[in-house]
Amino acid sequence: MRFVIIGAGAVGGVVAGRLAGAGAAVALVARGAHLEAIRRDGLLLREAGGDSRHHLPAFATPAEVDWRAGDVAVLAVKSNSTESLLTRLPRDTPVVCLQNGVANERAALRLFPDVYGVCVMLPSAHLEPGVVVAQCAPIPGILDIGRIPGGVDPRAEAIAAHLVEAGFVCEARPDIMRRKYTKLLMNLGNAVEALCGRSEAADELAALLRAEGEAVLRAAGIEYASAAEDRERRGDLLQLVPVAGQERGGGSTWQSLARATGEVEADYLNGEIVLLGRLHDTPAPANETARRLVIEAATRGAAPGSMPPAQLRAAIDGSAGR
């Protein structure tokens, strides 16, 4: 089995480095300055226990990959890039969605018979070309996997075994989408963190978005793991630690603003709740407002944390009153 990891950013890069360090066959698809740095110097994985450098085959597009029997395509891109990438993969390739959100698996299943979802709990960072940072120790993350639309098969078990060998906590679970909807609820706060940074007022806004998201999922009849189940699964496994003297700045959306990428995946996080709310007559004005504002911030190149929480609260209150 060779893992072709498409998107060697924070999550994909850390998983790639860990798998390669454990002896797994790994290839990467990356772009721009990040790809150039990987080809020139290798992928640098920074962890609390020290750095490691991995010289791996790296390609600019899936079409350039030397696809072979036994390859598994691991999507680790933002959800807004998924559909365009799927059309460039060999149609007999198993696809693993190592991604936040819940739309990727359905998009993949439209085109591929063998699709797997991963519930990603992996605090990590990618802020400079060629470098990814694992921000938890001694366990870098929890990466439970399951077959889509449900169940477990030998391939899911084999992938889980590779991830465990690489140091991750991972179980093959038949109800993986139920877990991923719980992670979606957590990720609704990404927009708040990116816009407002961290504070008690920002936490209150994130809780508002989550409560609205839970109401929408209930209206849609979609099951998700309870907060108690989620706490039990996490336990004290994920311990944030400084790496090379640097504390964690923020999550994936915060990092998109910090890198000034010009785009975020809010359409597939907060936007998923907005979509379900429209389909099931349950308005989601708080998530719609956060979605719109963080996309506007990314488009104009705003720095993370540049919006006061009171400004976001006023915008949410105004949208709810319309």
Side-chain angles (χ1 to χ4, degrees):
M1 179 180 291
R2 181 177 68 158
F3 296 92
V4 180
I5 297 182
I6 302 170
V11 169
V14 169
V15 170
R18 276 274 175 164
L19 284 169
V26 178
L28 303 175
V29 175
R31 60 184 181 180
H34 190 43
L35 173 62
E36 293 174 8
I38 292 170
R39 284 175 166 172
R40 183 182 63 248
D41 303 318
L43 176 71
L44 177 62
L45 170 58
R46 311 204 76 175
E47 301 183 86
D51 296 350
S52 58
R53 195 175 293 276
H54 304 276
H55 295 274
L56 304 169
F59 305 91
T61 69
E64 294 182 8
V65 175
D66 57 330
W67 295 100
R68 59 187 74 160
D71 282 353
V72 174
V74 181
L75 297 185
V77 297
K78 297 292 192 296
S79 299
N80 41 303
S81 298
T82 294
E83 291 199 21
S84 63
L85 284 171
L86 287 172
T87 60
R88 305 178 200 176
L89 301 179
R91 292 301 176 93
D92 58 348
T93 304
V95 175
V96 176
C97 297
L98 184 74
Q99 300 163 287
N100 287 326
V102 294
N104 303 291
E105 289 80 4
R106 190 172 188 273
L109 201 60
R110 185 184 299 276
L111 303 178
F112 298 86
D114 297 309
V115 177
Y116 303 83
V118 177
C119 183
V120 179
M121 294 185 278
L122 175 53
S124 52
H126 165 52
L127 295 173
E128 59 180 299
V131 182
V132 294
V133 184
Q135 298 176 313
C136 281
I139 302 298
I142 306 172
L143 299 174
D144 291 338
I145 186 172
R147 186 174 173 87
I148 304 300
V152 169
D153 65 8
R155 186 181 288 112
E157 296 279 9
I159 294 170
H162 276 287
L163 291 170
V164 170
E165 183 68 19
F168 297 100
V169 170
C170 177
E171 294 182 11
R173 292 178 174 269
D175 62 342
I176 196 63
M177 289 309 297
R178 183 170 170 269
R179 302 280 173 172
K180 293 201 69 165
Y181 273 102
T182 301
K183 182 66 190 305
L184 171 66
L185 292 171
M186 295 179 59
N187 288 140
L188 298 179
N190 287 15
V192 177
E193 180 188 56
L195 289 167
C196 306
R198 295 177 185 153
S199 66
E200 184 175 339
D203 289 344
E204 291 174 358
L205 289 169
L208 172 64
L209 267 61
R210 175 166 181 146
E212 188 179 80
E214 289 177 350
V216 167
L217 293 186
R218 288 194 298 270
I222 294 173
E223 291 188 10
Y224 57 93
S226 68
E229 287 179 88
D230 185 57
R231 284 193 300 271
E232 181 180 1
R233 179 65 182 124
R234 290 170 180 266
D236 58 358
L237 292 173
L238 301 181
Q239 299 291 326
L240 287 171
V241 293
V243 178
Q246 298 294 314
E247 301 282 351
R248 177 171 169 81
S252 59
T253 306
W254 185 97
Q255 292 174 42
S256 292
L257 293 192
R259 295 202 315 275
T261 63
E263 60 182 8
V264 290
E265 62 178 335
D267 282 338
Y268 292 88
L269 301 177
N270 308 89
E272 184 72 28
I273 295 301
V274 173
L275 168 62
L276 289 169
R278 289 171 178 163
L279 289 172
H280 298 279
D281 197 25
T282 306
N287 278 280
E288 168 58 14
T289 301
R291 182 205 65 81
R292 174 176 57 83
L293 290 177
V294 77
I295 289 174
E296 290 175 0
T299 301
R300 67 174 183 271
S306 56
M307 178 179 287
Q311 183 179 342
L312 177 54
R313 168 70 74 170
I316 289 173
D317 290 345
S319 67
R322 286 202 295 268

